[in-house]
Amino acid sequence: MNPASAAPATPVTAVPLPATGAWREGDPPGRRQWHRRGRPLALEAGGELPRVRLAYETWGRLAPDRSNAVLVLHALTGDSHVAGDAGPGHQASGWWDAMVGPGRALDTDRWFVVAPNVLGGCQGSSGPASTGPGGRPWGGAFPRLTQRDQVRAESGLADALGIGRWALVVGGSMGGMRALEWAVGEPHRVASLLLLACPAAASADQIAWAAAQLHAIRADPHWRGGDYHDAGPGQGPHAGLGIARRIAHITYRSAEELESRFGHEAQEGEQPWGGGRYRVESYLDHQAVKLLRRFDAASYVTLVEAMNTHDIGRERGGRRAALARVRARTVVAGVDSDRLYPLAQQEELAAGIPSADTVRVIRSPYGHDGFLLETDQVGALVRELLDGSPGAGGAGGPA
């Protein structure tokens, strides 16, 4: 094959993409609300974040006794928009829309659902794309974060909402790491806990996959050390972030699903021997462009590095001692086809958390993404935890 005829690393779009897909000041707010922390946030790695803002969304109505609040924590490229349509301020529809609403597993006629955009994210919370102390985007100067820093910021949001104890904290993947930190770091504030497809600590395999993604972004000539947010359209690190997304997405899906969907087939109208693509390559290109439209490369780096730090036993006497601190009624679930966060990691959690029984297995051909897609199975686990909880009486209809 002539290398010059090969498909580009990032597909060409009709209109050049902005340097970042982050939500920026002046963009439509959509359903977002904001919590602004009144004091600096001390960071685990040292130093502090002087100004902290978390974007969040809510559904339902908080009960007078504040007993019906549910915290939903998103994965790496998620955000606060758990439910609802795409529209001004929200480039994609809710990532767990089938789970939240009247009559759904997170029934908003009964439960007050809160979903923050994680600290370091790019959809309204403080992160590399947000304004720093000098009035310009933080960019590469944004400090290193850990999962514990992110949970401390979320704890401030709970305080501001007057929520002393969550009826349920639920999260999958990166969100599951934070849900676990909530239950270990603030056990008195979590009544029930649902951990989906997440580990007690990041493994060498997971850190290795992450390292390849980080190298791809930093090798992009438009990365500029993370200081690209004021660049013009087409001048952001799109190639690097696109490659990172392709690498990640392969780990999110199972080999069996990719084979059954795409096999060895060429993309329609293209010839791989002549510079065209296979169908699976076209699929990965599509996933890359979707992410470029709604995400920020520097936030991706910040959050992946935070995920790499995840170790529930750090400075707590080890994982077993840390897991023993959980007081919440707990369900741990994993996906049978997950090759990124395999079931053995959920088995460690279930064995170490006093109230957890055996791992619940989500049957899915979709790999790690099964925790997002198999909403009937996940919904049954949510209902199991919430039925009979103190806040189950609800507080009226959706707000």
Side-chain angles (χ1 to χ4, degrees), residues 181-330:
E181 280 289 347
W182 262 99
V184 170
E186 302 202 41
H188 61 288
R189 300 193 75 169
V190 183
S192 299
L193 177 68
L194 178 54
L195 301 174
L196 299 166
C198 66
S203 71
D205 186 61
Q206 289 146 8
I207 294 170
W209 282 112
Q213 297 170 51
L214 296 174
H215 278 292
I217 293 172
R218 289 173 170 145
D220 190 314
H222 293 305
W223 169 244
R224 304 185 189 91
D227 297 321
Y228 58 84
H229 293 90
D230 291 332
Q235 298 302 304
H238 300 134
L241 180 57
I243 293 169
R245 179 60 166 180
R246 289 173 179 85
I247 295 169
H249 202 78
I250 294 167
T251 71
Y252 298 159
R253 298 294 179 137
S254 70
E256 293 75 16
E257 187 217 359
L258 295 178
E259 182 64 27
S260 66
R261 288 181 66 182
F262 305 111
H264 194 255
E265 299 299 316
Q267 177 67 5
E268 185 176 356
E270 298 188 28
Q271 173 51 263
W273 288 8
R277 300 169 297 173
Y278 291 97
R279 288 183 61 209
V280 71
E281 291 180 277
S282 175
Y283 168 70
L284 294 174
D285 289 346
H286 172 70
Q287 296 298 327
V289 171
K290 280 176 59 179
L291 187 73
L292 293 175
R293 295 187 187 281
R294 65 175 183 82
F295 216 77
D296 176 63
S299 272
Y300 196 96
V301 168
T302 294
L303 300 182
V304 167
E305 289 183 333
M307 292 171 70
N308 285 349
T309 73
H310 174 61
D311 181 352
I312 202 66
R314 185 176 62 252
E315 304 298 329
R316 290 170 173 154
R319 297 176 203 170
R320 179 176 295 184
L323 294 175
R325 295 168 62 168
V326 176
R327 296 290 175 262
R329 293 176 57 232
T330 302

Side-chain angles (χ1 to χ4, degrees), residues 40-182:
L41 178 69
L43 302 177
E44 189 180 6
E48 63 182 24
L49 194 57
R51 292 182 297 187
V52 173
R53 179 182 70 176
L54 289 186
Y56 68 99
E57 297 178 44
T58 67
W59 298 262
R61 185 174 300 151
L62 187 60
D65 65 359
R66 290 169 163 72
S67 65
N68 69 331
V70 173
L71 180 64
V72 177
L73 300 175
H74 66 77
L76 171 59
T77 61
D79 55 33
S80 64
H81 199 52
V82 175
D85 296 333
H90 301 294
Q91 296 193 36
S93 58
W95 55 267
W96 233 9
D97 192 67
M99 291 285 292
V100 178
R104 296 176 181 173
L106 291 171
D107 186 346
T108 49
D109 289 338
R110 300 172 64 192
W111 304 104
F112 178 64
V113 179
V114 181
N117 179 216
V118 67
L119 181 67
C122 63
Q123 290 298 319
S125 292
S126 297
S130 63
T131 303
R136 297 176 60 83
W138 274 98
F142 193 76
R144 290 287 293 265
L145 300 178
T146 69
Q147 306 284 307
R148 295 179 194 180
D149 299 327
Q150 294 165 336
V151 168
R152 281 195 292 271
E154 291 165 359
S155 181
L157 169 62
D159 292 343
L161 294 173
I163 298 168
R165 183 173 169 88
W166 298 102
L168 172 67
V169 177
V170 54
S173 193
M174 184 186 81
M177 296 176 188
R178 302 205 317 285
L180 183 59
E181 280 289 347
W182 262 99

